[in-house]
Amino acid sequence: MESEPTADLIRAQLRRLRLHAELSQEEFGKLVHFSGSQISAIELGQRPFDRLFLRRADEVLTTGGLLTSLLRLAERYSQPNWFRPWLEAERQAQQLWCYHPTLVPGLLQTENYARAVIRADDMLSDDEVERRLAVRMDRQSVLSRQQPPKLIAVVEEAVLRRADEGFRGLMVQQIAHLLECVDQPNVSIHVIPAEVSTHVGLAGPFTLALGNDSGWVGHLENQLSGTTIDKDGELTILIARWESVRSEALPHNQSALLMKEVMTSWS
């Protein structure tokens, strides 16, 4: 979960903060449940660090979250080039409109749901699954910032009901999270009922972001990558398709009642 050269910066800051706290490697190691030799190996770049270690280090060294913030920065800039423009648009958005035909949108996923979705790709190592999970969870912080965007999400009833016996507990947790989200003034979730058999959104997921400059940016996902949309003609089409998808969904209160019905039917 490291990214050079930011990893070197993290290790250097770790050593600087430890010395400033007047802790030997052995003393610091005991506080974070590592041996002194393990701390030495981390500081020398001979042993990798992870998010849990940095979180403990931040607590022990009272850094205000500096080390984990540096890790988030490293993860952000380790993203593929095609994804970075969308991440920037998402962070600066005043409004976000999200639709996905087969999944709960990423900004609304619980950690357990997101991990299960990411782990479905059996070509990913456990470390890569956790790295992608950390990035996804970090992206959700946009919804709790001081002036968060207005998020409107449309989900399919079929997505909420897709669960075998082993997955139902996870989905109960996920739907409960959605209901908590709609209690926030900046989040609206609307459900397209199962009786709506076809509509234009089924062609694929998309998200639209309205920036501080009052300009729209779109994002399309596929199996291998994604595309950021910024051309006026294409944005006009996406906005029209959003309006069509949104019109198929239930109003706010009816959507919440449907989500509660699905959740209680499994509890």
Side-chain angles (χ1 to χ4, degrees):
M1 294 180 65
E2 299 178 26
S3 176
E4 302 291 352
T6 314
D8 291 335
L9 175 61
I10 292 173
R11 285 191 286 267
Q13 288 299 310
L14 174 65
R15 176 176 171 78
R16 181 186 67 80
L17 290 162
R18 177 181 62 77
L19 292 174
H20 182 74
E22 299 182 346
L23 293 171
S24 68
Q25 291 176 336
E26 194 71 34
E27 290 168 336
F28 175 65
K30 289 180 180 179
L31 293 172
V32 295
H33 313 301
F34 275 63
S35 67
S37 61
Q38 288 174 322
I39 298 300
S40 175
I42 289 173
E43 291 183 353
L44 292 172
Q46 298 169 351
R47 177 189 174 100
F49 52 76
D50 60 16
R51 185 175 300 273
L52 178 59
F53 169 78
L54 294 182
R55 189 179 298 123
R56 288 175 179 164
D58 276 331
E59 292 172 357
V60 167
L61 300 171
T62 59
T63 69
L66 173 64
L67 298 174
T68 49
S69 294
L70 287 172
L71 180 60
R72 284 197 298 270
L73 183 66
E75 290 169 338
R76 180 182 303 168
Y77 286 98
S78 69
Q79 295 303 302
N81 289 337
W82 57 263
F83 196 42
R84 292 180 191 175
W86 174 249
L87 285 177
E88 190 63 26
E90 190 176 70
R91 283 194 297 272
Q92 296 183 5
Q94 292 182 337
Q95 292 188 49
L96 287 165
W97 297 348
C98 306
Y99 169 75
H100 202 299
T102 58
L103 296 171
V104 173
L107 290 178
L108 297 171
Q109 293 176 3
T110 64
E111 182 173 331
N112 288 334
Y113 181 96
R115 181 181 285 107
V117 169
I118 297 169
R119 198 182 293 279
D121 184 349
D122 58 11
M123 296 181 67
L124 300 178
S125 66
D126 288 345
D127 284 347
E128 179 62 13
V129 168
E130 292 304 312
R131 188 191 70 80
R132 295 191 183 194
L133 175 66
V135 171
R136 186 165 302 181
M137 294 297 101
D138 183 56
R139 286 172 57 198
Q140 295 182 3
S141 64
V142 70
L143 298 178
S144 57
R145 70 190 188 199
Q146 189 169 6
Q147 292 183 311
K150 171 66 176 178
L151 171 67
I152 304 176
V154 174
V155 300
E156 298 280 347
E157 179 182 351
V159 170
L160 304 179
R161 294 190 183 277
R162 182 183 295 120
D164 58 25
E165 289 295 331
F167 201 67
R168 286 188 177 180
L170 186 152
M171 281 305 302
V172 168
Q173 180 190 58
Q174 175 62 69
I175 297 172
H177 176 67
L178 295 179
L179 290 167
E180 290 174 1
C181 287
V182 297
D183 285 337
Q184 303 175 34
N186 62 308
V187 178
S188 295
I189 301 173
H190 301 271
V191 180
I192 296 180
E195 57 262 28
V196 179
S197 56
T198 60
H199 59 82
V200 69
L202 296 178
F206 63 96
T207 306
L208 287 155
L210 177 65
N212 293 322
D213 59 355
S214 298
W216 287 96
V217 178
H219 183 67
L220 306 178
E221 299 178 29
N222 61 54
Q223 284 280 343
L224 297 179
S225 61
T227 304
T228 298
I229 306 298
D230 57 8
K231 296 180 180 178
D232 289 345
E234 294 175 340
L235 286 168
T236 298
I237 293 172
L238 276 184
I239 291 171
R241 291 188 177 181
W242 166 263
E243 295 295 346
S244 178
V245 167
R246 174 66 186 82
S247 70
E248 299 287 357
L250 296 171
H252 172 83
N253 289 338
Q254 291 183 37
S255 294
L257 288 173
L258 179 55
M259 286 189 283
K260 290 176 182 176
E261 184 274 318
V262 174
M263 186 175 68
T264 55
S265 70
W266 289 345
S267 299

